[in-house]
Amino acid sequence: MQLDVVSDTVCPWCYIGKKRLDQALEMHGGEGITLAWQPFQLDASIPEGGVDRKTYMEKKFGAERAKTVGNTIREFGEQVGIDFRFDRIERSPNTLDSHRLIRWAGTAGCQNEMVDILFRRYFEDGEDIGLHDVLIDAATEAQMDADIVRDLLTKDADKELIHREDELARQMGIQGVPSFVVNSQWVMVGAQEPETLVKMFNKLLAREAESAAAQ
């Protein structure tokens, strides 16, 4: 079973969804499941270099709501061991380069770990994951070749591919993230509870087994 998770690196619900997915895979065992992370930019209009987060949030939600929009997210985050520190985040970055790094991490065999690293660095450490130096540090943490990553980041490597994959997700009808796509056919939207994900895994794996036996 191919499980593609469509997410953005600045989406707090995607971080919660990642933690719940990890729990679900541990509960299930993960046998028969191939996991891959796919890009989705919630706001591709943010310029390179990012924008001031406070101003961005106030423009998006209004000054009053912007002050409280993270409260519910913090509560759900605590349940899965996330210490959301929105107060530490100074910039809202363009996420294109972080998605490129996740793609390269897939080639290096550490994609799932890289997704965790980027979420933690942004939401808990308050680092600007739009900066190349931060992304190179993240690559080093995941034991990737930092020199190769540094070189790729200075070029346009895979930028168009990320844009195409983002557009493909939208063509599939995905409008919100995280979204879980199974075998490019079934889509489940939202940060699902681990038990719900395990039920989905079991049901679809059983269906795959039945189909294979019938051939």
Side-chain angles (χ1 to χ4, degrees):
M1 185 180 84
Q2 175 67 38
L3 176 61
D4 292 299
V5 186
V6 182
S7 76
D8 198 2
T9 48
V10 294
C11 164
W13 287 108
C14 293
Y15 193 9
I16 293 170
K18 168 71 167 63
K19 291 293 188 181
R20 290 177 176 177
L21 173 61
D22 288 341
Q23 291 175 1
L25 290 171
E26 184 174 352
M27 291 164 60
H28 179 270
E31 185 176 353
I33 300 173
T34 301
L35 174 65
W37 290 83
Q38 305 297 342
F40 190 96
Q41 286 194 276
L42 288 168
D43 190 350
S45 70
I46 293 177
E48 184 177 343
V51 295
D52 179 79
R53 177 175 171 80
K54 184 174 183 292
T55 302
Y56 179 78
M57 295 298 285
E58 289 180 351
K59 183 178 179 180
K60 185 174 182 179
F61 296 106
E64 288 306 310
R65 191 183 171 206
K67 297 176 183 177
T68 60
V69 71
N71 292 346
T72 300
I73 294 171
R74 287 192 196 93
E75 293 174 8
F76 280 100
E78 288 173 1
Q79 295 173 12
V80 290
I82 300 172
D83 180 22
F84 280 109
R85 291 298 305 269
F86 297 111
D87 57 305
R88 293 178 176 173
I89 303 174
E90 297 181 358
R91 307 288 291 177
S92 288
N94 183 293
T95 59
L96 176 61
D97 285 341
S98 65
H99 285 301
R100 289 204 290 160
L101 179 57
I102 289 171
R103 180 168 187 81
W104 302 330
T107 303
C110 57
Q111 188 178 64
N112 203 45
E113 180 185 359
M114 178 57 71
V115 172
D116 252 335
I117 289 170
L118 291 174
F119 277 144
R120 189 200 73 235
R121 282 175 173 258
Y122 183 67
F123 286 113
E124 300 188 57
D125 301 338
E127 297 184 20
D128 184 351
I129 59 171
L131 294 177
H132 285 185
D133 285 347
V134 171
L135 296 176
I136 292 166
D137 283 345
T140 301
E141 182 179 346
Q143 299 185 346
M144 293 175 66
D145 190 316
D147 290 334
I148 292 177
V149 171
R150 182 181 292 106
D151 181 59
L152 289 171
L153 284 171
T154 63
K155 302 173 181 176
D156 290 335
D158 291 327
K159 284 186 177 181
E160 283 304 315
L161 181 58
I162 297 298
H163 288 311
R164 289 201 302 271
E165 290 177 340
D166 181 299
E167 181 59 29
L168 178 61
R170 296 172 196 275
Q171 290 174 1
M172 290 179 65
I174 293 174
Q175 297 179 334
V177 287
S179 288
F180 301 89
V181 184
V182 180
N183 293 341
S184 301
Q185 299 178 59
W186 298 279
V187 180
M188 183 179 290
V189 181
Q192 303 295 325
E193 293 288 350
E195 295 78 8
T196 302
L197 290 170
V198 170
K199 288 179 181 177
M200 178 186 73
F201 297 160
N202 289 335
K203 181 178 180 179
L204 295 177
L205 283 168
R207 184 178 296 180
E208 289 292 310
E210 290 174 2
S211 297
Q215 291 178 358

